Amino acid sequence: MSARRILVVDDSPFIGKVLSALLHGAGFDVTVAYDLWDLERWGVGTPDLVLMDVVLQEAFGDDVAILLRARGWRCPIVLMSSLPEAELEQRAADAGLDGFVSKHSGLAGIVELAQKHLGCGSAAGAALDARPGFEISARQRLRRVIDNANRPQYWNSAAVLSELRALVGDADMSGRGATAAAARVCHDVVHQLGANGATQEILDAIDALGESLGTARAARDANPRRILLLLSDDAQREALLAAFDRKNHVVVEARSLVEARQKLHAATYDLVLVDVRLDRAEPSLITEVRKHLPEAPLAVLGAPASTVGVPVISTDSDPAEMLDEIERTLQHGR
Amino acid sequence: MTDQQDKRRLRVLVVEDNPHVAELIRHGLRGNASVDAEFVIDCVMARDGYEATEQLRASRFDALIADIYLPGMDGASLIAAVRAGDHPDLPIIAVSAGGDPARKAAMDAGANVFVDKPMRLHALVATLQKLV
């Protein structure tokens, strides 16, 4: 299913870009019109939904919406604004529009409204949202950035930077998935900025975030991998997580055999990667993996005698070679 | 409600350089925003002060709505010229997003009313109704 098209009309570059990134991340095809000139550049046909800010530079959004209706746009048009809800409701009713949403309820609420009107974006977006354990913390951070974008004090660069850094930090901690990939791009930009970084640079960072969300999602949809990683060596763990993240693999970590068993039974995996140095109980775990996931490739890091018949990836080799070997194991297992 | 055909017809000259805003104003004045008004509005559009001056020479208007910041001959100059010329009593509404400086320039030039942009179109119609 192709992504549903949303036209956002908002004269605020900050809100426009952040909302675009979030809607794009939810699987929608988003166009932002920052003024009436942009709006006139809309091509053939109509979008599936219009999110219309009320106070624009040269006109009021409800008057613009009435004009769009007169031009034959029959798609839902929803007003969004920081105006008091009673006024917003009245304006939407007077203009014969399909609803309203207050920016005071947070821009994340606008995304939820879009999902309510159009379903959950594209199938890819729905899959992204439905994936277990998908960077909840980073997502919440991003939502906080979005929510706070409406507050005048958050137009202050330092405050936005602070939130973006928190987002990046969370994503780094999670070390996996689309938001982490997006955050890495954002990370480079944001960390080059001083505490008083320019607004344009923040907008560029958000642009990168949005693009990365889309890129990461597309890559994962094309070649998704779920890896259960049971590893003891922190240094190798970081290197592996970073490498898997670059390839958009979804990594579920376990730090003990008990945790590994729980996660093994809770989901399916394309690869189970076990560090046999973890403790002395590894043969039973390998047997359990074989029984529970007979089709899943299993590889061990380290090479005790008890793992004969299982691909072994030497932990003594160069990290790059180790990763190549893991990728080959993944390919053979597909 | 009075039938459209029984309503008084007004000819209004609108001077606005942004074609998209101009279309909005024209649509608003001719359409929904004036549904409850006591008149039907015929809009004539001009893109700057020079075009507006030509229109005013060529035909009669009941009111003028002029943006202040225009290319070439700006709105304040146009209003001053209208007041000094053949239309000293023409109802004039000046509009601008320029805030107080634009308001002062417009009122000093002789506008009857100044309306800040963005403007509610039905409010513009109501203002027009009070003036004519």
Side-chain angles (χ1 to χ4, degrees), chain A residues 17-85:
Chain A
K17 284 175 184 287
V18 174
L19 190 52
S20 175
L22 199 60
L23 287 168
H24 187 63
F28 295 109
D29 181 357
V30 186
T31 300
V32 181
Y34 293 103
D35 57 27
L36 297 178
W37 295 91
D38 285 346
L39 184 60
E40 291 302 316
R41 281 191 277 273
W42 178 267
V44 178
T46 59
D48 297 301
L49 173 68
V50 178
L51 297 172
M52 179 74 74
D53 186 22
V54 173
V55 184
L56 302 171
Q57 287 290 329
E58 293 196 292
F60 282 108
D62 38 348
D63 286 328
V64 176
I66 290 169
L67 180 63
L68 293 178
R69 282 273 189 264
R71 288 178 178 177
W73 287 36
R74 294 287 169 262
C75 60
I77 301 178
V78 174
L79 292 182
M80 58 177 183
S81 176
S82 302
L83 291 171
E85 284 204 18

Side-chain angles (χ1 to χ4, degrees), chain A residues 74-238:
Chain A
R74 294 287 169 262
C75 60
I77 301 178
V78 174
L79 292 182
M80 58 177 183
S81 176
S82 302
L83 291 171
E85 284 204 18
E87 181 182 349
L88 203 48
E89 183 177 13
Q90 188 64 52
R91 279 175 176 258
D94 288 346
L97 303 181
D98 299 273
F100 67 95
V101 58
S102 170
K103 287 182 179 174
H104 291 303
S105 63
L107 294 192
I110 297 175
V111 176
E112 286 167 14
L113 180 139
Q115 288 172 325
K116 184 178 157 193
H117 271 275
L118 301 177
C120 290
S122 69
L128 185 71
D129 283 342
R131 207 179 63 212
F134 173 67
E135 297 92 28
I136 295 301
S137 179
R139 190 174 279 265
Q140 286 170 339
R141 285 286 197 186
L142 180 55
R143 287 196 172 186
R144 206 172 83 190
V145 175
I146 305 301
D147 291 346
N148 286 331
N150 292 309
R151 300 179 188 169
Q153 65 267 34
Y154 273 82
W155 290 76
N156 172 288
S157 297
V160 174
L161 271 177
S162 167
E163 289 295 346
L164 280 173
R165 284 193 177 116
L167 165 65
V168 170
D170 258 9
D172 281 351
M173 289 289 284
S174 76
R176 57 182 184 268
T179 302
R184 194 174 52 250
V185 177
C186 202
H187 183 277
D188 293 339
V189 179
V190 169
H191 278 263
Q192 286 172 12
L193 304 178
N196 297 313
T199 300
Q200 185 57 47
E201 289 172 293
I202 291 170
L203 296 181
D204 290 344
I206 292 166
D207 267 347
L209 182 68
E211 285 172 16
S212 285
L213 278 170
T215 305
R217 191 181 63 242
R220 189 176 44 254
D221 290 344
N223 191 24
R225 298 286 199 276
R226 276 181 71 83
I227 299 172
L228 177 60
L229 178 63
L230 181 59
L231 194 64
S232 63
D233 187 302
D234 277 345
Q236 285 182 338
R237 172 183 169 275
E238 290 302 319

Side-chain angles (χ1 to χ4, degrees), chain B residues 66-69 94-99 101-103 106 114-119:
Chain B
D67 192 12
I68 292 302
Y69 294 126
V95 298
S96 179
R103 177 189 299 273
F114 178 86
V115 176
D116 281 302
K117 277 186 177 177
M119 56 200 169

Side-chain angles (χ1 to χ4, degrees), chain B:
Chain B
M1 194 200 323
T2 313
D3 186 84
Q4 286 282 106
Q5 291 181 335
D6 297 334
K7 288 184 177 181
R8 179 185 166 197
R9 296 195 82 85
L10 284 184
R11 260 176 76 78
V12 176
L13 178 60
V14 178
V15 195
E16 170 61 61
D17 62 323
N18 182 327
H20 312 303
V21 175
E23 187 186 357
L24 263 180
I25 294 173
R26 178 163 55 186
H27 180 265
L29 295 188
R30 293 171 69 178
N32 297 8
S34 60
V35 162
D36 297 325
E38 295 169 355
F39 40 72
V40 175
I41 300 172
D42 293 327
C43 282
V44 176
M45 310 305 293
R47 286 172 296 187
D48 59 29
Y50 298 118
E51 253 188 59
T53 304
E54 291 301 313
Q55 295 281 5
L56 286 164
R57 278 195 195 122
S59 56
R60 182 197 65 80
F61 290 94
D62 297 300
L64 170 67
I65 298 174
D67 192 12
I68 292 302
Y69 294 126
L70 297 166
M73 183 181 188
D74 66 27
S77 302
L78 169 68
I79 293 167
V82 168
R83 289 288 181 244
D86 298 333
H87 309 284
D89 301 320
L90 182 70
I92 299 176
I93 301 174
V95 298
S96 179
D100 286 340
R103 177 189 299 273
K104 184 174 188 316
M107 299 311 285
D108 287 350
N112 296 90
V113 178
F114 178 86
V115 176
D116 281 302
K117 277 186 177 177
M119 56 200 169
R120 301 300 308 273
L121 294 178
H122 65 76
L124 186 63
V125 172
T127 303
L128 192 59
Q129 192 161 300
K130 284 181 191 166
L131 275 180
V132 296

